[in-house]
Amino acid sequence: MSDKQAVEQTVHLYVEGMAFANAAALKKAFHPQSSIIGYYQNAVEWLTRDEFIAAILAEEPAPPGTQPFMDIQSVDVEGEAASVKVTDDFAGMRFTDYLSLLKIDGRWVIVSKLYHLHT
């Protein structure tokens, strides 16, 4: 598997983990010290991984068998660093996420998520 494919696999894990409220998948996709940042309800939201997962679990998950919407618009990999732009839906809202990933111990993990909530 190429690094680009491995990065995309991490993005799929993240989107599906979010859609189906799968905490284990989200913990695997995100580094424990990652940050999740963006504007939510007209205020800057700056969350830790665990705060983000708690917010996901507080929402109703997608029904089993649902295909979560995900549009990966760009993937840029350079050595152990990668950047991904992906648009996805969660809880009836559409987001564009800018994900920064780092290859740690041979595995790609999200270290930062900067998001835009479409209105």
Side-chain angles (χ1 to χ4, degrees):
M1 177 183 302
S2 72
D3 280 327
K4 182 177 185 246
Q5 290 170 319
V7 165
E8 289 175 348
Q9 186 176 53
T10 299
V11 174
H12 281 264
L13 185 66
Y14 148 63
V15 171
E16 290 177 3
M18 192 170 57
F20 299 113
N22 183 334
L26 292 168
K27 285 182 179 180
K28 187 175 180 182
F30 283 86
H31 186 275
Q33 294 176 308
S34 60
S35 55
I36 293 83
I37 307 155
Y39 278 93
Y40 188 73
Q41 297 179 343
N42 298 319
V44 174
E45 179 177 65
W46 200 298
L47 302 174
T48 65
R49 178 194 71 175
D50 292 341
E51 289 168 335
F52 173 67
I53 292 171
I56 296 300
L57 297 179
E59 296 293 333
E60 188 70 30
T66 302
Q67 181 64 43
F69 173 76
M70 172 178 51
D71 178 21
I72 297 176
Q73 290 139 2
S74 66
V75 178
D76 184 22
V77 179
E78 189 68 42
E80 298 81 27
S83 178
V84 175
K85 179 180 179 184
V86 58
T87 299
D88 50 73
D89 289 346
F90 174 71
M93 298 173 282
R94 177 149 294 175
F95 293 88
T96 295
D97 300 328
Y98 297 89
L99 306 174
S100 297
L101 295 91
L102 189 64
K103 191 175 188 179
I104 300 174
D105 297 327
R107 194 170 67 81
W108 288 97
V109 291
I110 301 166
V111 294
S112 176
K113 170 185 164 173
L114 177 64
Y115 70 85
H116 167 72
L117 172 58
H118 296 259
T119 53

